[in-house]
Amino acid sequence: MALALALGRRGLGNTWPNPAVGAVVVRFDGGTPRIVGRGWTQPGGRPHAETEALKRAGGAARGATLYVTLEPCSHHGKTPPCVDAIRAAGIARVVSAIEDPDTRVAGRGHAILRAAGLVVDVGVGADAAREAHAGHVRRILDGRPHVTLKMALSADGKVALAGRRPVAITAEAANARVHMMRAMHDAILVGIGTALSDDPLLTCRLPGLAHRSPVRVVVDAGLRLPAAARLVRTAGETPLWIVTRPDAPAEAAARLRAAGAHLIHVAPAAGGPGVDPDAALRALGALGVTRLLVEGGPTVAAVLVRADLVDAAVLLTGERPIGPDGLDPLEGLPLAALTGGPALALRATARLGPDRIDTYGRAAPA
């Protein structure tokens, strides 16, 4: 199952709206396990991991065990159900990490396999599988993507120079980690403040992984993003989505659409100039986004923290301070609102060269 999970992670950010599943076919002839097939969900979500593993196993799949990180699908979509392929291949036993919460499956896949005489075991590697499939599960259950907030902090807890001026905070290893995170997410989101002050590209710039760049999303209630912005100039190369309000200026909307941007109109924020954060995330979920990486800035981050819409946080802390005039990471909130609140718990701490990386996740229910 650990191998199946590792294989499935290859597809993170590249299979949405489908989950990134991993599968392994194992024979136990003579008591010695032998891997005869490996598979993972292919780009765009098809073929599925199970059919890929079975194809590689060929005739060796008959009488073998299939390890899979998520319950095999049992419904007819753009491809036939995986349970049909599993039965046809002659698999004798299926070890499934977790049940799929999708109402089209939701235990039905396991039930069909058991009814066909297969042995089905559920729960091996369940905790790791729930983490790997957090985006799929969150979108199915809550209608929105799993949200990871990434922040680069100076040694004294700042994210930029005074006046929102950008500054390099972390070193090469940490920067590479961020680009890998981008490649493993469906979309990346920033607020208009970050888009204007940093003029970012928000692409994955690791060698050979440019094609794994996520959809770029800008929250821009007033459509202030200029035509000269790099995000707009590259909208034809890497998708650019702009979340705005229904009353956004029509002329600006037409200009951005002409440049290739896709506009998403959502409800205004209650009593404020922005957009409703829950409505924005649900709109992204409706478009198929399962894993969303939020990279800034302090306004967007604070809005999400206040609304309890942050599911995980990755804090990269550099070795140099910025000073008391630097920009705080959460507008109007202390950092402890994120790191010390009841929603998230510290999961891991590690070193990346001179920098530290702290990873937080949803705290277990009391």
Side-chain angles (χ1 to χ4, degrees), residues 103-332:
T103 55
R104 297 171 298 177
V105 188
R108 186 167 175 263
H110 293 149
I112 290 173
L113 294 173
R114 288 190 177 106
L118 281 72
V119 175
V120 178
D121 296 316
V122 182
V124 175
D127 289 344
R130 276 189 286 268
E131 182 176 345
H133 296 303
H136 172 67
V137 172
R138 181 69 67 186
R139 180 172 176 264
I140 292 297
L141 295 182
D142 295 341
R144 67 168 179 85
H146 180 85
V147 175
T148 297
L149 175 61
K150 188 280 298 182
M151 292 191 291
L153 304 171
S154 64
D156 53 351
K158 306 294 183 179
V159 294
L161 298 171
R164 293 183 176 268
R165 290 174 295 147
V167 62
I169 292 177
T170 52
E172 184 177 350
N175 295 340
R177 175 68 63 89
V178 170
H179 283 275
M180 181 57 71
M181 290 175 64
R182 291 179 178 179
M184 297 173 73
H185 282 78
D186 309 341
I188 179 172
L189 180 146
V190 298
I192 184 60
T194 295
L196 293 175
S197 61
D198 294 4
D199 193 21
L201 274 174
L202 303 180
T203 53
C204 175
R205 294 190 289 280
L206 293 176
L209 288 181
H211 68 288
R212 294 288 295 266
S213 294
V215 171
R216 288 95 49 88
V217 182
V218 180
V219 179
D220 184 8
L223 295 184
R224 294 188 288 145
L225 192 64
R230 294 199 295 172
L231 287 167
V232 178
R233 297 203 316 267
T234 58
E237 303 162 19
T238 305
L240 172 65
W241 296 355
I242 300 176
V243 178
T244 190
R245 296 162 50 118
D247 58 356
E251 184 178 342
R255 169 178 52 79
L256 290 166
R257 285 196 187 97
H262 173 64
L263 268 60
I264 305 169
H265 293 91
V266 301
V275 302
D276 179 88
D278 186 67
L281 293 184
R282 287 180 177 277
L284 296 178
L287 289 168
V289 176
T290 68
R291 291 166 53 85
L292 178 67
L293 180 64
V294 178
E295 285 204 17
T299 302
V300 165
V303 166
L304 294 174
V305 170
R306 285 191 176 97
D308 191 24
L309 292 171
V310 176
D311 302 303
V314 177
L315 306 186
L316 299 146
T317 303
E319 60 180 345
R320 293 184 297 274
I322 286 179
D325 293 335
L327 188 66
D328 291 327
L330 298 175
E331 187 172 287

